[in-house]
């Protein structure tokens, strides 16, 4: 291993970079009439999820609130906390009025239909 390789290996083991991934996995499947977007969101409830579209940008946002129950526990290690995750994807030519979404067993499925494209039209000149 070279000094260059060691530098990057060590850098990403640093505390600053650990746990920095604030994203989630998605797949986008192209279909004849549009797209299916599938996102892995284990442990996320419907009320912690927001899906929006602005022009051709689809945004999935998760706000997971920390359970604020009063308890007498003294944690020696704690990773479960409030977090905010967001992904925005540009998907051109989608019909925003026909988007549907379903969350089931930690999998979010979003169905996006293509806009109806108008046929080529010749314009008569007067």
């Amino acid at each position: 291993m070279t000094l260059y390789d060691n530098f990057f290996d060590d850098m990403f083991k640093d505390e600053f970079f650990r746990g920095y991934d604030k994203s989630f996995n998605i797949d986008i499947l192209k279909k004849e009439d549009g797209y299916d977007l599938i996102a892995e969101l284990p442990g996320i409830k419907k009320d912690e999820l927001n899906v929006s579209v602005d022009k051709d940008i689809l945004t999935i946002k998760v706000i997971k609130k920390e359970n604020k129950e009063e308890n007498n526990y003294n944690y020696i290690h704690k990773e479960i906390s409030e977090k905010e995750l967001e992904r925005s994807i540009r998907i051109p030519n989608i019909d925003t009025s026909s988007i549907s979404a379903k969350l089931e067993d930690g999998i979010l499925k979003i169905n996006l239909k293509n806009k109806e494209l108008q046929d080529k039209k010749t314009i008569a000149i007067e």
Side-chain angles (χ1 to χ4, degrees), residues 8 10 33 53 56 64 103 108 111:
F8 283 100
D10 290 343
D33 63 343
V53 65
D56 60 353
K64 180 115 175 110
L103 180 65
L108 174 66
N111 182 265

Side-chain angles (χ1 to χ4, degrees), residues 17-33:
F17 289 99
R18 219 173 300 142
Y20 187 70
D21 184 18
K22 295 192 177 225
S23 193
F24 45 88
N25 297 327
I26 62 166
D27 289 339
I28 302 173
L29 309 164
K30 181 153 179 48
K31 300 185 331 181
E32 239 179 77
D33 63 343

Side-chain angles (χ1 to χ4, degrees), residues 88-100:
S88 293
I89 300 108
R90 182 178 179 275
I91 303 178
N93 195 38
I94 56 173
D95 180 3
T96 58
S97 66
S98 68
I99 297 173
S100 63

Side-chain angles (χ1 to χ4, degrees), residues 47-62:
D47 63 336
E48 299 170 325
L49 186 59
N50 182 350
V51 177
S52 62
V53 65
D54 184 12
K55 297 180 180 133
D56 60 353
I57 305 293
L58 177 81
T59 300
I60 303 168
K61 187 173 186 175
V62 175

